[in-house]
Amino acid sequence: MREKYEVVIGLEVHAQLKTASKIFCSCSTAFGAEPNSHTCPVCLGLPGALPVLNGTAIEMAARAALALNLRINHESIFSRKNYFYPDLPKGYQISQYDRPFSEHGWVEIPTAERNDAGHAKEWRLKKFGITRLHIEEDAGKSLHEGLRESSSKSYVDLNRSGVPLAEIVSEPDFRSSWEAYDYIQYLRRTLLYVDVCDGNMEEGNLRCDANVSIRTRGSERFGTKVELKNLNSFRFVQKALEYEIDRQIAVVEAGDRVVQETRLWNEREARTYSMRSKEEAHDYRYFPEPDLPPIVVAVDQVARVREALPELPEPRRRRFVEEYGLAFDDAAQLVDNRATADFFEETARDSGNPKAAANWILNELARELKSSGTEITESPLKSDNLSEMIRMIDSGAISGKMAKEVLTEMCRSGAPAAEIVKGMGGGQVSDESQIREIAARVVESNPKQLDEYRAGRTALLGFFVGQVIKQSGGRANPRIVNEVVKEILER
Amino acid sequence: MPITQSDVEKIAELARLELTADETESFTKQLGSILSYVEKLNEVDTTGVLPMSYCRISGEDSNDALRDDVVRPGIGQQAATANAPDPEAGFFKVPKIIGG
């Protein structure tokens, strides 16, 4: 059934810019404060209050725009978007409309469909267009549940009113729910890289609405689109889209037509619900905001912001594959977080063994961090400690097995690897004469096995090797033990 | 461009205003005469003039009206909700918003 239809998805992402104060007044943007405690006449919408634009919000929007290959307009203006809602005290939202901050962007990113277990089938690169990124203020928050009179009243908290947002509108370029998922993940990662948004969907500083429609494959015309809201996590976005695609196909297959409407995702019931019973056409009556001058961004300002941008996740992933010979998945996982990618690069350089660095970071270290609930930047383990440990493995000073213990201890205490190895009773024994001594003793004290071996039961080699390593307290280098034992047995 | 009665009804609905038939009629007339007065501006030839949304006072190429990102205390919960008809627990309390 799916094959008959093509899915068309466009996404609108609202990213909270992480300024300390609001966009048009000096109230704090801190999350979780007492209701209405971060308010003033401007963000309460009191008569006569005038907005003054926060310069840092513009800088952050510029960083985000350039990271998404958008062209920043030399001059853009604010507009009033008029509508009534209790959490919008002015009766209009200050947003941008016909002359937005930036336009004509794109990203080219890896994307893949997933199997039932959630594993990527086959990664490929795809380019998605970004129509615009504009700046606007957030509205307040309405609470519908959990308070004394919630059954008959709604409660409004205006702490969020006036928090700066970047609205990032994509082209209708997504053809599956997973493409949309990969794009939002990439968007989040990029915003974190350029340090303009905390990217936490649960706290609402990254929010996503989706427009979705279906059309018969090969058709040029778009189908009727449905707007999805209340997508509060990355997985919700993907699940809600999947549900909505199935629903629309079922409607069309039954001979009906999809209605243009807004639907809300209900996670508990894993379905979407129509938000409005009667369809009211939106008429926002946008007009230029007379209280604010245009935003002017000079050419040299753009150049300065561009120059200060860090390497972005996708170019970095490509470079990790080319420069360090990493596998696609490993590189993708490492760049997921800027601090992890930085840690990897330091370790790769200092240890001279990028593949080992990637393996240790993605496996053992990731496990350690997860079990102790620490971020890589908070861990006592520093990249030079890990580099030292990898060099010790490569020189044969410690075995891989010992290294795991060393790593655990480094994560706990932050002590240098060599010191920990000394504390553990020394490193791996690779000294041949020392191993030969132990091996001779072991062979001597197992005459029966020796006879059997010499009679042709060569599989007993493993027994002798095991005994020697055991006698050495697990420290003898297995490769050398193997050679020496064989030599003695076959003498 | 004359304004019609249905224009006035639509604007009233968007502004959540309830108008009587008499009011609708008199506002149609009044708004019509205001609009035709302003219409006079259309007689000016603006060919080649860039649209202006704001009257700038100083340097054209600078953002001279920006604020530093510094937090200052607001007026506080108490003052914020002091004029509200029905505050509770620091919130503004409003009729139930349907279809949230």
Side-chain angles (χ1 to χ4, degrees):
Chain A
M1 193 71 72
R2 277 280 176 108
E3 289 67 45
K4 245 174 86 180
Y5 297 95
E6 184 179 45
V7 175
V8 178
I9 299 167
L11 296 168
E12 283 175 21
V13 172
H14 286 89
Q16 179 181 335
L17 299 171
K18 53 189 270 193
T19 54
S21 65
K22 292 185 181 181
I23 183 166
F24 300 126
C25 63
S26 305
C27 291
S28 167
T29 58
F31 181 79
E34 283 293 298
N36 295 304
S37 59
H38 292 165
T39 54
C40 75
V42 173
C43 55
L44 288 168
L46 300 187
L50 287 172
V52 185
L53 182 58
N54 183 338
T56 304
I58 302 302
E59 259 175 58
M60 289 184 174
R63 284 220 289 279
L66 293 179
L68 300 171
N69 302 300
L70 284 144
R71 286 213 295 271
I72 295 177
N73 288 323
H74 172 62
E75 190 174 302
S76 68
I77 62 167
F78 286 105
S79 291
R80 290 186 180 180
K81 180 182 181 177
N82 300 280
Y83 65 95
F84 282 107
Y85 210 72
D87 59 23
L88 188 75
K90 295 193 299 299
Y92 58 85
Q93 176 194 27
I94 302 179
S95 180
Q96 295 193 290
Y97 185 56
D98 51 352
R99 283 155 72 190
F101 184 70
S102 59
E103 295 169 279
H104 312 298
W106 53 270
V107 289
E108 191 176 21
I109 58 169
T111 180
E113 296 307 304
R114 312 295 205 271
N115 62 21
D116 292 339
H119 297 303
K121 284 183 189 162
E122 190 192 349
W123 291 101
R124 65 206 157 78
L125 285 178
K126 191 174 169 186
K127 196 167 175 175
F128 301 108
I130 299 177
T131 317
R132 55 193 270 158
L133 175 153
H134 72 243
I135 303 165
E136 62 184 27
E137 60 175 341
D138 205 348
K141 192 176 169 193
S142 309
L143 288 93
H144 309 290
E145 282 164 32
L147 285 138
R148 198 174 60 88
E149 280 187 87
S150 284
S151 56
S152 60
K153 303 278 184 182
S154 292
Y155 291 74
V156 177
D157 173 8
L158 296 177
N159 281 347
R160 219 175 60 188
S161 163
V163 161
L165 301 177
E167 176 172 333
I168 303 162
V169 183
S170 84
E171 293 288 312
D173 284 352
F174 308 95
R175 295 290 171 269
S176 76
S177 62
W178 288 112
E179 286 187 359
Y181 177 87
D182 289 328
Y183 165 79
I184 305 171
Q185 289 277 12
Y186 187 81
L187 212 56
R188 172 179 181 272
R189 200 174 302 136
T190 302
L191 295 172
L192 286 170
Y193 261 64
V194 299
D195 201 24
V196 300
C197 177
D198 287 327
N200 188 334
M201 282 190 101
E202 283 72 23
E203 279 187 17
N205 49 45
L206 198 65
R207 302 198 288 272
C208 179
D209 300 335
N211 288 308
V212 54
S213 64
I214 56 163
R215 61 181 170 189
T216 318
R217 205 167 282 281
S219 157
E220 288 282 309
R221 275 211 352 255
F222 288 124
T224 306
K225 70 178 178 190
V226 166
E227 191 182 6
L228 291 183
K229 284 182 181 281
N230 207 25
L231 310 173
N232 298 332
S233 83
F234 294 97
R235 278 295 284 161
F236 290 7
V237 175
Q238 191 271 328
K239 278 156 73 182
L241 284 169
E242 232 14 68
Y243 175 89
E244 187 55 26
I245 293 163
D246 284 339
R247 192 191 67 84
Q248 291 189 14
I249 290 176
V251 168
V252 173
E253 284 289 318
D256 289 333
R257 284 163 64 178
V258 174
V259 181
Q260 182 167 352
E261 61 180 348
T262 300
R263 296 179 73 89
L264 291 181
W265 172 246
N266 183 315
E267 173 63 14
R268 213 173 26 227
E269 296 173 36
R271 55 163 295 185
T272 61
Y273 279 100
S274 182
M275 186 168 153
R276 291 191 181 85
S277 44
K278 78 172 172 163
E279 195 42 48
E280 46 184 279
H282 284 298
D283 186 349
Y284 292 127
R285 293 150 293 146
Y286 282 99
F287 65 87
E289 165 60 78
D291 290 341
L292 286 161
I295 304 170
V296 179
V297 183
V299 176
D300 63 317
Q301 263 175 299
V302 174
R304 216 168 45 237
V305 173
R306 196 190 298 279
E307 207 143 287
L309 282 185
E311 187 182 23
L312 296 168
E314 177 52 19
R316 197 169 201 190
R317 184 198 61 77
R318 284 182 213 195
R319 186 169 60 79
F320 278 11
V321 170
E322 280 160 26
E323 194 175 325
Y324 299 116
L326 299 186
F328 180 101
D329 279 12
D330 289 351
Q333 279 187 65
L334 286 169
V335 301
D336 186 47
N337 168 312
R338 191 173 160 188
T340 308
D342 289 345
F343 193 98
F344 162 74
E345 286 220 74
E346 290 160 21
T347 314
R349 242 192 337 263
D350 293 353
S351 69
N353 191 343
K355 283 189 183 164
N359 280 334
W360 282 100
I361 291 168
L362 292 174
N363 299 308
E364 297 304 319
L365 178 56
R367 194 171 12 251
E368 292 287 344
L369 294 174
K370 202 175 168 194
S371 75
S372 60
T374 35
E375 296 290 324
I376 199 162
T377 45
E378 301 164 343
S379 174
L381 171 75
K382 301 295 167 228
S383 67
D384 47 355
N385 298 348
L386 183 59
S387 304
E388 186 195 3
M389 190 192 90
I390 291 171
R391 284 196 306 268
M392 289 173 83
I393 303 169
D394 290 346
S395 71
I398 54 171
S399 67
K401 192 161 161 279
M402 289 170 74
K404 287 188 186 180
E405 284 174 51
V406 172
L407 185 86
T408 305
E409 184 54 27
M410 288 198 298
C411 285
R412 207 185 54 78
S413 67
E419 200 174 286
I420 294 170
V421 170
K422 216 181 280 168
M424 284 164 60
Q428 177 165 264
V429 177
S430 298
D431 177 5
E432 209 184 298
S433 63
Q434 224 176 316
I435 292 175
R436 192 175 293 278
E437 213 175 283
I438 304 170
R441 221 164 44 227
V442 167
V443 171
E444 205 175 305
S445 52
N446 291 289
K448 196 169 140 262
Q449 282 85 348
L450 177 64
D451 284 347
E452 281 181 41
Y453 180 90
R454 288 192 170 149
R457 254 190 91 192
T458 51
L460 279 166
L461 175 66
F463 163 79
F464 288 104
V465 169
Q467 288 296 311
V468 174
I469 291 177
K470 198 174 159 198
Q471 296 282 320
S472 74
R475 292 168 48 220
N477 182 327
R479 190 179 50 80
I480 299 175
V481 173
N482 221 20
E483 279 169 20
V484 170
V485 169
K486 210 165 173 189
E487 194 200 307
I488 296 176
L489 290 175
E490 286 172 7
R491 214 180 261 155
Chain B
M1 186 189 67
I3 191 163
T4 66
Q5 207 140 309
S6 70
D7 287 334
V8 172
E9 279 162 10
K10 192 183 171 213
I11 294 163
E13 194 192 318
L14 288 167
R16 304 290 189 272
L17 294 174
E18 213 170 333
L19 301 183
T20 64
D22 282 355
E23 282 171 329
T24 306
E25 204 192 317
S26 77
F27 287 150
T28 306
K29 270 193 213 128
Q30 289 176 10
L31 283 171
S33 76
I34 293 170
L35 282 179
S36 47
Y37 176 68
V38 175
E39 197 87 323
K40 185 126 189 85
L41 289 174
N42 278 343
E43 290 168 20
V44 182
D45 182 9
T46 56
T47 322
V49 180
L50 285 176
M52 185 185 77
S53 63
Y54 191 87
C55 188
R56 302 194 67 83
I57 313 157
S58 54
E60 198 192 315
D61 249 14
S62 68
N63 284 309
D64 39 28
L66 293 182
R67 188 172 58 72
D68 285 338
D69 185 25
V70 176
V71 174
R72 283 206 308 250
I75 60 173
Q77 189 188 66
Q78 200 67 34
T81 54
N83 291 321
D86 191 16
E88 184 187 315
F91 291 97
F92 296 95
K93 197 162 63 178
V94 299
K96 189 82 176 170
I97 304 161
I98 299 159

